[in-house]
Structure formats: structure tokens, C-alpha cells
């Protein structure tokens, strides 16, 4: 069909794109004029695609249609008008003109909530169901016949944003396109709207959003969330207008130690608690408000109402005191703590000069013009608040005498450690003894929305988005330095939470993380030299979902690149290993990263990970984990907003091939399947060994396994620690039982170690046939799977090694350089090792082929690692 799209916004853009995918001809897009030189997203996309775009400021004048506007519309020859979201008043001469009529999307279940602010009123009235209607336009206000309706449940703490993002936007786009499809097929109904149950409410504006306190808690909650974020429910407190955001109905909330806050008209005073502002309905029940905004626009956490402006003062060093004294010097007058910059006669140009002077004198100082406007007195200009961290302290660990590890355990959102919505927590378990380490905040969907909003604001409006690359690089360097200062503490936390042996955690988990941040900080400076050749821009909010096997290193691999490019980050650590991520958050704040740039959300993949994949404001998602979950994430990213995605997935990597002419010491010494307890995405779990050395190789590996010390990962002499968590241990036991049942030979191991904790014996299987489950599936544990191949048959081993849907890493051991290069070239894997294995470097790209994912960490290309006598190199290829 020939379709005219009349409307605006990202919603209109998505409808436009989907209609084109359906094969319809968009003969014209009618949208609003550019604002401040910036085109509406719908108009911008249409212009890019070569579709005629019309930007009429109005369609009517003095009660009648503007003839030249109507004629311009009619000239497009549209057979159908689609109005996905339109703020302009379209005359009936346009509505009635197409042969197939005009359809409109409306975000309510008509006839309920006709008019504007329909989503607000759905919540304010406490509707249990929300939905949208696609209806045939007529000369009434949202009164035309219904073509299509779809609905969803309203969750207890939904806001306008959550309803729109979760259902009304994605399903509304699909529903509008489905309606057009019904019209094209001649199956579109016209159901007359009933008048029974019809309601009309006007636009909800700020002056009408004042809270009436003489209501039950449910009604108060509905009013606050129905006005969140626009226009904002408000009340007068202490003589000023305060706006309330983030309402949640709560039962039995802890109010001990809360400070009373008098609220005129309320049935009883509110209580400012650690969790937020507790409010009471006239029924005595409670609700909790998370954030408050003042008339000057400043927003704070409600828990800080009585402490705003009274933060803990920082003890300046002698050098810092000397610098402050230098800044006090003025030719005009003496400057003391109370001196006000603007009351002293300064203007906007003076702000620019002051900022530049401070940055010149204090190399590395992060300062923006807004800092002066928000802190006009000299005392305010000096930082006066410290990061507040509610630590869990664990002392006398085996890594050091009387060492104290300080563990943050809350979410890190917008530069602050905060509890999850509703105060929800879970216990993170020490795999060494199976006992809880501490309670960790469990992020909810609303926490994700708040974190993404903070990251978006930091990118679009905050100082991070305005910061030049050189200053970004300095901040990243400073973060790496802080991580190095705390490396022993980080390694200890990593060992406790993941089961990694301390020596490995210190060198690899933490050591390589530090190297990664330094490498990408350096990349920022290198990029500066390329500016005149090419222009690369950050993408925006990046979501990162990382696994549990290398908690800190996976965080570093993905986060460092995002930050270096100028993006902001919302990261979900694995639910079973959250502690180094929240410790990292603390260090990032102490390094001086602006609020909102880094956000850390411990929580479940099904809730937090899914919301990040679905969120329309997330522009890129990086995921490391299983292939089935990766497929689901990829689909969600496509359906939500076609966000970019990179996937480093699991699966059985291509096998390691050991030829009879190998260096036996090296081939045995680098049997990397036992590295990090086998919890290693490139673990060499499947080995093909040339038959004439097979038995000798197996015996050598068994001898090495017997030397391994299994024990407490914090003991420096331990070689093999516990598996990460109980469910994974159980999976390994079942995996080995399956191997035995299939007829493979269990040479050693195969069962849980008889001691507390999640310890599993290093295991070796031989006589493994290609069709067996244990040959095809990944154990992700310390289980070596060995198969023979005929002597000299290179083609056979290549065929068998590549007979898999996965290809993350592979390897070959041989002294024959020609054979090594032939095999490495034909192995289908993202990384190929020659006479070595399990090597990584911050400058070496890492990622897989086929169902092991796409996109690379640390670079863009395939990587080849080669070792021969006197020759060792890695090469992206």
C-alpha cells in the first residue's frame, strides 16, 4: 500500500521502519519542524531513506485547513494514513482523503482514558490492566471505531516509563504494523466504541499534580507513580515545592532511627530513613519514596533530605591545602570560605576562565562550568563529601597477617551505593565451605531503569559527555593505579567469591584487569593522533553482562573499552560472583569518575539481564555466557531497539591436536583444561592425540594431575580450588556419570572431593568417541576428554576437530612448522594456539566463530599464538 506516516518521535520512527520492512511504500512523512536545528527522529530517518518529508508547523489556521498544506498532502497519493504518535491537529480533509482511511495509535484501552496523558491516568486511577488501541480516526476525540487492542497487567510499582518501555512501545509498534497488515488483507474490523465506561481526562500538568494527602496509601502511591516522571507529583514541605519520584508500596519497612518530617496535610509525619522517605496514607499503611527534587531542579536521594549540604568534610593533604591557598589569591579582594563568586561580580565568561585556570594549575582535575554554578562559594567549590560505603568487614584471612577485607554489598547507581528496590537482598556463597559471605542487594527492574537513566544522563548531559579524550584517559589511568594499590584485597575477594586460587587471582584475574585499563587508557591518547583522519564517536549507554569464571577480568575486558571510547556503562555481574564488581565500583568513584558513568547491578539474569536487553535507551550490549542465553539476548536486542550486540559464548571449542613430533614436556605442561579449575571458556577439554603417543601422553598427564594440591584457594600452596557454585558442581558430577554410561574410560577423578565446599577432582576420560555427549558438550570444568587419531592423518584430525558448531579456541602441538601453519589455518576458531595454550594479552583480540559468538574483546580480528624454539609471537589475523 501507499502510506502516509503522520507523526513524530522514536515510536513513529520504529513504525516507519517496520512498515517499510513489510513492503509498503511510504509516499510521505509528515512531522514537526526541526527544533534548535535538530530534526525529529522520524523525519531524520525518512530523509536518510529518501522518503519525501514535510515539516508543516501547522495544518489549520483560523479554524480551517490550510489549502496549500492539504494539497501538498494529497499530491503524495496516499491510500492510508498511519498516525503512530502525533501532537498536531490534523484536519478532516486529510483524515478522510485516503481510500482506506486513517488509523491512530492511542496508549489506553479505549473508551477508557480518552485524551492526552492516558498512561498517567491509567496509573492514577489504579487500573489493573494497561494497553493500547489502534482505531479508525473520526471527527471526535479518540472516539473512532476500534481496529485492534492489546493489553498487559499493571505491576504494583509500574510508572509511566516502565509501562511504556515494557509494553506500550514495543508491542505498540508491532500492533500498529499488524493493524496495517489487517487493512491490506481486507480483514480489519471496525468495532464501534461503547459509551459505557468511557472516560476523558485532560493533559496532566504540574499545577494539577499537587498531592492530596487525605487518601489511602494505595491512592497516594498511584498519584505519585502516575505523575512520575512528568509532570511530577509535588507537595509543599518546609516552605518549598518538593517533587516526589520512585514510589513503592511497602509493608513492615524498618523505620528505626528515621527522622520525622512534617508534611502539611498528611495524616502523620513522614520518616526519612536509610531506605528513603516513608509516607503514610490515611489508612495507616506505608509507601516509600526514593528521590526528591527541589524547586531549583536539584534532585537528591530522599534518604539524604536532612543531610544535604552537611556531607563529611575531606581532610586535605598539605599539597591540596597549598593549592587551595593559591586559588584564594586575588588582586581585587581577600577571599575567604564564604566568598561568593557571582556576588563578587563574576559573569559567565569568568566561569570559563576560572575553570581553565584550575585545570591548568591542577593537572588531571576534572572540572566543568556547571561545577562553578552549583558551588558558587569558595567553601562549596572545595569538595565536601566523601563516598558513603556500608562495608562488610572480614578479617584475618590467610593471604596476609590480620588482613581486613572491606566489602561493599549494595548496588552502585549514579555514583552512590544504594539498596535495591524494596530492600531485596540475597546471600553470596563462599565455594570453599559453602557458607554465606554476606548479603548482597538484589537489583529489580526499577533499579535497572534508574541506572540506565543515570547512564544516559551522564552521557548526554553530564560532564563525561563533554570531557575530552585526554582527560578520560587520565581518569582511566588513575582507576588502574587504584586497582593496583588494592590488588591484594581484590584478589582475596575474587578467591572468596569465585574459588579461584589466590596466586592465579592476583596474577591473572586482577593483574590482567589492571593491564587492560592501562592499555585502553593508552588507546585514548593514540586515538587523538588519528582525529584528522577519521571521526569515531561513542554510542551511548552500554550494557554489560558478565560471567562468573573471571569476574573482574571480564568486567575489565568489556568496561575499559567502553569507557575509553566515551560511553557510559550499566554492568550486571554474575549473580554468584558480585563482590569484585561492587568493589570496583567503589574504586571508580574514588578515582573521580562522574556520577552515572559506571553503574553496577548485582541481580538475576532473567530480571536484570533481560531488562537491559529490552531497554530502549541501551545502545549496545556485550554478553559473555552460554550459547542458549546468547541467542535469547540477541533476539531481545533486535526486537527492542535493534541495539548493537557482541557475544562471547560457550560451547565445545575446537579440539587441541597433539602430534607425535610434539615437544612432550610442553604438550603435557600446558594441558590447560585444569587451569582455573576448568572454568575457562577456552579450556582444552577435547584433545586429539596421535595414536602412537597416546598412552604415553595419558600417563604423563595422570602423573601431573596426582601432584596437584586441592584445597583452600587462599592458601598460597593450593593448585586447585573449589568449583564456583553448587549447581555447577552437580552438573560436573552428572557429566562424568554420562561419560561412564556412554562407554568412555574414566582414568581418574570423576567425583566430588570428600570435604566441605564445592571441590571436584581433576578428571581424565579416554576412549571417547565423537558421537558421545561428553565429546560434543562443554563441561566447563576440570575434565579432560581424549580421543586418538591415526598416525600421520592430518586431514582426519582437522575434520573431527571442526565437526562442531562451536569455535572459540583451538590448538596444535608439533615441531613441524609447515604442519603447524596448515592446521592453524584450517581450524575454525577465533583463537588458535601453536605449541602453547591459554595465552592471553590485552592487545590480542579474543572471540569466537560460529555459535561461540561474534564480536571480539580487546580487538577485532582472529588471533594466532605461535611458539617455536627462539620464536614466540601472537598475531591478529
Amino acid at each position: 500500500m501507499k502510506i502516509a506516516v503522520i507523526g513524530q518521535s522514536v515510536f513513529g520512527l520504529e513504525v516507519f521502519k517496520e512498515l517499510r520492512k513489510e513492503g509498503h511504500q511510504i509516499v510521505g512523512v509528515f512531522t514537526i519542524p526541526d527544533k534548535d536545528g535538530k530534526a525529529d527522529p522520524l523525519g531524520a530517518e525518512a530523509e536518510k531513506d529518501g522518503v519525501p518529508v514535510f515539516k508543516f508547523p501547522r495544518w489549520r489556521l483560523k479554524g480551517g485547513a490550510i489549502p496549500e498544506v492539504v494539497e501538498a498532502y494529497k499530491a503524495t497519493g496516499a491510500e492510508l494514513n498511519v498516525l503512530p504518535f502525533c501532537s498536531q491537529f490534523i484536519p478532516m480533509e486529510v483524515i478522510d482523503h485516503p481510500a482506506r482511511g486513517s488509523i491512530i495509535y492511542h496508549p489506553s484501552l479505549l473508551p477508557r482514558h480518552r485524551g492526552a496523558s492516558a498512561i498517567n491516568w491509567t496509573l492514577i486511577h489504579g487500573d489493573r490492566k494497561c494497553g493500547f488501541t489502534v482505531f479508525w480516526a473520526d471527527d471526535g476525540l479518540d472516539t473512532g471505531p476500534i481496529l485492534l487492542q492489546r493489553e498487559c497487567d499493571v505491576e504494583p510499582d509500574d510508572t509511566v516509563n516502565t509501562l511504556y518501555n515494557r509494553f506500550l512501545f514495543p508491542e505498540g509498534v508491532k500492533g500498529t504494523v499488524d493493524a496495517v497488515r489487517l487493512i491490506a488483507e481486507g480483514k480489519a474490523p471496525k468495532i464501534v466504541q461503547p459509551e459505557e465506561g468511557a472516560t476523558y481526562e485532560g493533559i496532566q500538568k504540574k499545577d494539577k499534580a499537587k498531592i492530596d494527602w487525605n487518601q489511602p496509601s494505595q491512592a497516594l502511591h498511584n498519584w505519585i507513580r502516575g505523575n512520575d516522571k512528568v509532570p511530577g507529583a509535588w507537595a509543599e514541605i518546609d516552605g518549598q515545592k518538593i517533587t516526589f519520584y520512585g514510589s513503592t508500596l511497602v509493608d513492615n519497612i524498618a523505620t528505626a532511627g528515621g527522622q520525622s518530617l512534617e508534611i502539611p496535610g498528611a495524616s502523620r509525619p513522614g520518616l526519612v530513613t536509610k531506605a528513603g522517605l516513608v509516607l503514610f496514607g490515611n489508612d495507616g499503611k506505608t509507601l516509600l519514596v526514593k528521590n526528591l527534587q527541589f524547586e531549583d531542579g536539584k534532585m537528591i536521594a530522599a534518604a539524604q533530605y536532612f543531610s544535604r549540604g552537611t556531607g563529611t568534610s575531606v581532610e586535605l593533604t598539605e599539597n591540596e591545602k597549598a593549592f587551595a591557598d593559591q586559588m584564594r589569591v586575588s588582586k581585587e579582594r581577600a577571599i575567604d570560605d564564604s566568598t561568593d563568586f557571582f556576588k563578587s561580580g563574576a559573569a559567565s565568561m569568568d566561569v570559563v576562565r576560572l575553570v581553565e585556570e584550575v585545570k591548568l594549575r591542577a593537572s588531571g582535575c576534572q572540572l566543568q562550568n556547571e561545577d562553578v554554578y552549583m558551588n558558587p562559594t569558595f567553601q562549596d567549590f572545595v569538595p565536601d563529601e566523601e563516598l558513603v560505603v556500608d562495608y562488610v568487614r572480614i578479617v584475618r584471612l590467610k593471604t596476609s597477617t590480620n588482613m581486613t577485607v572491606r566489602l561493599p554489598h549494595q548496588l552502585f547507581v549514579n555514583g552512590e551505593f544504594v539498596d535495591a528496590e524494596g530492600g531485596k537482598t540475597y546471600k553470596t556463597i563462599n565455594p570453599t565451605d559453602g557458607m554465606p559471605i554476606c548479603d548482597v542487594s538484589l537489583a529489580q527492574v526499577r533499579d535497572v531503569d534508574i541506572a540506565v537513566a543515570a547512564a544516559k544522563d551522564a552521557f548526554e548531559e553530564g560532564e563525561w559527555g563533554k570531557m575530552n579524550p585526554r582527560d578520560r584517559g587520565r581518569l582511566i589511568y588513575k582507576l588502574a593505579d587504584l586497582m593496583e594499590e588494592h590488588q591484594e584485597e581484590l584478589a582475596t575477594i575474587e578467591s572468596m567469591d569465585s574459588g579461584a586460587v589466590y596466586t592465579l587471582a592476583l596474577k591473572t584475574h586482577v593483574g590482567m584487569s589492571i593491564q587492560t585499563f592501562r592499555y585502553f587508557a593508552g588507546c585514548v591518547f593514540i586515538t587523538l593522533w588519528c582525529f584528522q583522519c577519521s571521526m569515531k564517536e561513542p554510542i551511548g549507554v552500554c550494557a554489560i553482562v558478565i560471567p562468573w569464571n573471571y569476574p573482574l577480568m571480564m568486567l575489565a575486558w568489556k568496561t575499559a573499552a567502553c569507557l575509553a571510547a566515551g560511553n557510559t556503562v550499566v554492568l550486571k555481574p554474575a549473580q554468584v560472583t558480585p563482590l569484585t564488581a561492587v568493589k570496583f565500583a567503589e574504586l571508580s568513584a574514588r578515582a573521580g569518575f562522574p556520577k552515572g558513568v559506571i553503574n553496577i547491578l548485582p541481580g538475576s539474569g532473567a530480571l536484570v539481564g533481560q531488562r537491559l536487553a529490552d531497554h530502549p535507551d541501551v545502545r549496545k550490549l556485550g554478553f559473555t555466557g552460554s550459547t542458549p542465553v546468547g541467542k535469547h539476548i540477541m533476539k531481545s536486542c533486535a526486537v527492542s531497539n535493534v541495539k548493537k550486540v557482541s557475544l562471547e559464548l560457550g560451547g565445545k571449542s575446537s579440539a587441541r591436536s597433539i602430534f607425535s613430533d610434539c615437544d612432550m614436556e610442553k604438550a603435557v605442561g600446558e594441558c590447560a583444561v585444569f587451569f582455573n579449575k576448568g572454568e575457562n571458556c577456552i579450556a582444552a577439554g577435547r584433545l586429539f592425540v596421535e595414536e602412537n603417543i597416546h598412552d604415553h601422553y595419558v600417563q604423563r598427564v595422570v602423573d601431573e594431575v596426582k601432584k596437584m594440591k586441592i584445597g583452600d584457594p587462599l592458601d598460597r600452596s593450593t593448585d586447585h580450588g573449589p568449583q564456583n557454585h553448587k549447581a555447577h558442581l552437580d552438573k560436573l558430577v552428572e557429566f562424568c556419570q554420562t561419560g561412564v554410561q556412554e562407554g568412555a574410560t574414566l582414568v581418574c577423578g570423576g567425583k566430588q572431593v570428600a570435604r566441605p565446599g564445592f571441590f571436584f577432582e581433576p578428571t581424565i576420560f579416554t576412549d571417547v568417541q565423537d558421537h558421545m555427549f561428553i565429546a560434543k558438550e562443554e563441561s566447563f570444568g576440570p575434565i579432560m576428554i581424549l580421543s586418538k587419531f591415526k598416525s600421520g592423518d592430518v586431514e582426519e584430525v582437522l575434520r573431527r576437530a571442526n565437526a562442531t558448531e562451536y569455535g572459540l579456541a583451538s590448538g596444535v602441538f608439533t615441531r613441524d612448522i609447515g604442519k603447524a601453519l596448515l592446521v592453524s589455518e584450517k581450524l575454525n576458531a577465533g583463537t588458535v594456539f601453536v605449541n602453547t595454550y591459554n595465552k592471553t594479552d590485552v592487545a590480542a583480540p579474543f572471540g569466537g566463530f560460529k555459535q561461540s559468538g561474534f564480536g571480539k574483546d580487546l580487538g577485532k580480528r582472529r588471533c594466532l599464538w605461535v611458539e617455536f624454539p627462539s620464536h614466540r609471537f601472537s598475531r591478529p589475523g
Side-chain angles (χ1 to χ4, degrees):
M1 281 190 298
K2 294 181 178 180
I3 296 175
V5 177
I6 304 174
Q8 64 208 68
S9 79
V10 176
F11 185 91
L13 161 65
E14 292 301 320
V15 170
F16 166 81
K17 289 162 62 176
E18 293 301 316
L19 289 175
R20 282 173 62 86
K21 288 180 185 177
E22 291 273 315
H24 298 293
Q25 180 185 356
I26 309 301
V27 294
V29 165
F30 297 83
T31 189
I32 58 176
D34 296 354
K35 185 176 182 181
D36 298 326
K38 186 175 182 180
D40 178 80
L42 170 59
E45 181 72 15
E47 288 175 337
K48 185 174 71 175
D49 290 348
V51 174
V53 176
F54 305 84
K55 301 178 181 180
F56 301 129
R58 63 184 64 84
W59 295 69
R60 294 165 54 87
L61 187 65
K62 296 181 180 180
I66 301 174
E68 53 268 35
V69 172
V70 174
E71 288 307 311
Y73 160 77
K74 289 181 177 179
T76 65
E79 300 172 291
L80 175 71
N81 291 333
V82 176
L83 287 73
F85 174 78
C86 183
S87 62
Q88 295 178 310
F89 189 87
I90 310 301
M92 292 307 297
E93 289 89 336
V94 172
I95 294 295
D96 290 339
H97 179 75
R100 294 177 180 258
S102 299
I103 60 171
I104 301 176
Y105 167 89
H106 183 77
S108 82
L109 296 171
L110 294 174
R112 193 160 172 78
H113 307 308
R114 292 170 176 165
S117 303
I119 314 174
N120 301 75
W121 292 108
T122 296
L123 293 169
I124 290 169
H125 284 282
D127 292 1
R128 299 293 181 88
K129 295 286 185 181
C130 170
F132 63 86
T133 304
V134 179
F135 67 96
W136 299 94
D138 65 3
D139 59 357
L141 183 61
D142 303 331
T143 57
I146 294 170
L147 192 162
L148 177 150
Q149 282 188 329
R150 288 177 185 162
E151 65 179 36
C152 71
D153 292 331
V154 177
E155 300 296 331
D157 296 324
D158 265 330
T159 64
V160 173
N161 283 348
T162 62
L163 277 177
Y164 184 73
N165 294 332
R166 187 180 78 245
F167 183 79
L168 295 173
F169 181 100
E171 294 301 321
V173 171
K174 288 190 281 187
T176 304
V177 174
D178 289 345
V180 173
R181 187 181 301 120
L182 290 172
I183 294 171
E185 295 171 352
K187 300 177 182 178
K190 290 187 177 182
I191 303 169
V192 176
Q193 289 191 36
E195 283 306 308
E196 183 180 355
T199 64
Y200 170 80
E201 300 92 359
I203 298 175
Q204 183 64 347
K205 297 183 178 180
K206 189 73 174 184
D207 59 347
K208 298 178 181 178
K210 186 175 182 180
I211 300 171
D212 175 8
W213 294 106
N214 188 28
Q215 301 181 82
S217 61
Q218 179 70 61
L220 292 174
H221 170 62
N222 289 341
W223 185 261
I224 294 171
R225 68 183 180 135
N227 287 283
D228 187 344
K229 295 283 189 185
V230 178
W234 60 275
E236 290 186 1
I237 302 176
D238 293 336
Q240 57 180 317
K241 187 182 291 184
I242 305 293
T243 304
F244 296 69
Y245 296 106
S247 175
T248 308
L249 284 173
V250 291
D251 293 317
N252 303 319
I253 188 168
T255 57
Q259 291 181 265
S260 178
L261 177 63
E262 289 293 335
I263 302 176
S267 59
R268 56 185 285 190
L271 285 172
V272 177
T273 70
K274 180 181 175 182
L277 174 59
V278 179
L279 302 172
F280 298 87
N282 61 12
D283 56 356
K285 295 183 179 179
T286 55
L287 59 148
L288 181 72
V289 168
K290 289 291 187 68
N291 300 302
L292 302 173
Q293 187 175 40
F294 296 91
E295 288 181 278
D296 61 4
K298 184 175 183 180
M299 183 178 288
I300 64 168
Q304 299 174 353
Y305 183 84
F306 286 114
S307 60
R308 68 191 193 280
T310 59
T312 306
S313 61
V314 176
E315 186 67 31
L316 299 181
T317 66
E318 291 303 317
N319 287 339
E320 289 167 340
K321 289 177 181 177
F323 179 76
D325 289 339
Q326 291 176 22
M327 294 306 301
R328 291 178 192 271
V329 177
S330 168
K331 295 180 181 179
E332 306 297 327
R333 54 168 290 179
I335 297 176
D336 57 29
D337 286 349
S338 62
T339 302
D340 188 292
F341 188 68
F342 297 106
K343 290 180 180 178
S344 300
S348 58
M349 186 53 66
D350 299 300
V351 173
V352 176
R353 293 193 185 102
L354 175 63
V355 168
E356 292 307 313
E357 182 179 357
V358 172
K359 292 170 75 173
L360 180 64
R361 291 192 186 187
S363 178
C365 176
Q366 306 305 318
L367 190 66
Q368 302 293 330
N369 294 356
E370 289 82 354
D371 295 318
V372 182
Y373 288 108
M374 295 177 67
N375 305 279
T377 69
F378 189 85
Q379 187 175 32
D380 290 337
F381 195 60
V382 177
D384 65 350
E385 288 189 350
E386 288 186 331
L387 179 69
V388 178
V389 186
D390 182 20
Y391 290 115
V392 173
R393 287 175 170 80
I394 301 176
V395 300
R396 291 187 176 88
L397 295 163
K398 293 182 181 180
T399 55
S400 181
T401 304
N402 295 327
M403 179 183 181
T404 298
V405 173
R406 302 194 303 171
L407 300 174
H409 60 98
Q410 297 169 290
L411 314 182
F412 186 74
V413 178
N414 201 25
E416 297 179 341
F417 283 105
V418 296
D419 290 335
E421 182 185 23
K424 293 185 178 179
T425 64
Y426 70 100
K427 296 185 184 301
T428 186
I429 305 299
N430 187 334
T432 302
D433 57 14
M435 301 301 292
I437 300 172
C438 64
D439 288 335
V440 178
S441 293
L442 182 67
Q444 305 298 299
V445 168
R446 178 162 175 75
D447 298 314
V448 179
D449 292 341
I450 294 171
V452 172
K456 182 181 180 184
D457 185 67
F459 178 77
E460 295 180 351
E461 306 295 336
E463 60 181 293
W464 182 254
K466 304 168 189 173
M467 191 179 294
N468 65 59
R470 183 177 288 105
D471 290 338
R472 284 204 310 270
R474 289 195 181 105
L475 264 186
I476 298 170
Y477 269 126
K478 186 174 181 181
L479 174 58
D481 290 343
L482 274 175
M483 293 173 69
E484 189 169 53
E485 288 177 27
H486 291 262
Q487 61 182 330
E488 186 173 332
E489 186 178 23
L490 286 167
T492 303
I493 297 170
E494 192 93 334
S495 291
M496 291 165 47
D497 208 22
S498 75
V501 296
Y502 177 80
T503 50
L504 177 65
L506 186 64
K507 179 183 178 181
T508 302
H509 290 234
V510 178
M512 191 172 185
S513 298
I514 295 167
Q515 294 171 18
T516 302
F517 279 102
R518 286 189 173 139
Y519 173 75
F520 279 102
C523 289
V524 171
F525 290 95
I526 293 170
T527 303
L528 290 173
W529 290 98
C530 304
F531 179 80
Q532 292 183 344
C533 302
S534 62
M535 182 70 174
K536 294 185 178 181
E537 296 182 341
I539 194 170
V541 180
C542 294
I544 298 172
V545 181
I546 58 174
W548 43 260
N549 57 328
Y550 291 99
L552 187 62
M553 194 170 78
M554 292 296 96
L555 177 153
W557 280 19
K558 297 183 186 298
T559 303
C562 289
L563 296 176
N567 300 297
T568 54
V569 169
V570 181
L571 181 140
K572 190 201 86 65
Q575 188 170 353
V576 292
T577 52
L579 295 181
T580 43
V582 289
K583 186 67 178 181
F584 166 83
E586 177 196 343
L587 298 179
S588 73
R590 299 198 186 285
F593 276 79
K595 291 185 176 182
V597 175
I598 296 171
N599 304 271
I600 307 293
L601 300 176
S604 74
L607 200 68
V608 178
Q610 184 63 56
R611 180 59 183 145
L612 288 171
D614 291 338
H615 205 292
D617 289 332
V618 172
R619 296 301 172 189
K620 167 73 185 285
L621 190 147
F623 170 75
T624 296
S626 73
T627 298
V629 174
K631 291 179 179 179
H632 180 77
I633 284 177
M634 188 176 176
K635 180 179 179 181
S636 296
C637 289
V639 170
S640 57
N641 60 340
V642 201
K643 58 174 62 71
K644 293 178 180 291
V645 60
S646 58
L647 304 173
E648 195 258 274
L649 306 178
K652 198 81 170 182
S653 286
S654 303
R656 193 163 58 128
S657 303
I658 301 174
F659 289 89
S660 59
D661 62 350
C662 70
D663 180 331
M664 183 61 71
E665 295 298 324
K666 187 173 283 290
V668 172
E670 302 204 20
C671 51
V673 68
F674 303 121
F675 187 84
N676 200 46
K677 314 110 57 180
E679 295 168 355
N680 188 13
C681 49
I682 58 171
R686 182 91 196 271
L687 278 76
F688 289 112
V689 182
E690 201 160 3
E691 61 183 1
N692 57 339
I693 64 165
H694 175 272
D695 294 348
H696 177 58
Y697 180 80
V698 171
Q699 187 56 54
R700 288 290 305 274
V701 174
V702 170
D703 292 343
E704 291 300 315
V705 167
K706 289 179 179 178
K707 298 175 187 177
M708 296 173 66
K709 179 182 175 181
I710 301 174
D712 187 337
L714 292 176
D715 185 332
R716 305 295 180 93
S717 64
T718 295
D719 300 305
H720 189 84
Q723 305 307 137
N724 187 276
H725 52 280
K726 181 64 163 58
H728 183 52
L729 172 67
D730 294 342
K731 174 191 166 189
L732 295 180
V733 172
E734 183 180 356
F735 186 91
C736 290
Q737 290 171 348
T738 301
V740 172
Q741 291 167 5
E742 288 182 318
T745 301
L746 178 61
V747 177
C748 65
K751 58 183 183 296
Q752 182 176 356
V753 179
R755 59 172 290 166
F758 310 142
F759 292 85
F760 188 79
E761 296 177 342
T763 300
I764 299 174
F765 276 102
T766 60
D767 301 318
V768 179
Q769 304 304 310
D770 294 355
H771 68 274
M772 291 181 178
F773 175 85
I774 64 172
K776 295 186 295 183
E777 296 300 322
E778 182 182 36
S779 71
F780 212 66
I783 303 174
M784 180 179 282
I785 307 296
L786 290 112
S787 300
K788 298 177 183 178
F789 69 92
K790 295 177 183 178
S791 295
D793 197 340
V794 177
E795 293 302 321
E796 177 202 357
V797 76
L798 279 171
R799 177 185 57 77
R800 295 171 68 189
N802 287 331
T804 173
E805 271 300 297
Y806 303 101
L808 192 56
S810 189
V812 55
F813 281 79
T814 177
R815 284 189 171 94
D816 184 335
I817 191 169
K819 186 190 299 180
L821 293 176
L822 171 67
V823 172
S824 62
E825 181 182 358
K826 292 192 175 183
L827 283 170
N828 296 327
T831 300
V832 177
F833 298 96
V834 177
N835 294 330
T836 186
Y837 205 83
N838 204 47
K839 295 292 191 297
T840 51
D841 187 279
V842 295
F846 186 91
F849 287 176
K850 298 185 283 190
Q851 291 196 42
S852 287
F854 56 84
K856 298 284 190 289
D857 289 325
L858 309 176
K860 293 183 177 181
R861 301 179 180 180
R862 187 183 191 226
C863 188
L864 175 66
W865 282 85
V866 180
E867 281 194 20
F868 276 94
S870 77
H871 296 284
R872 176 177 178 175
F873 63 91
S874 67
R875 184 193 74 191

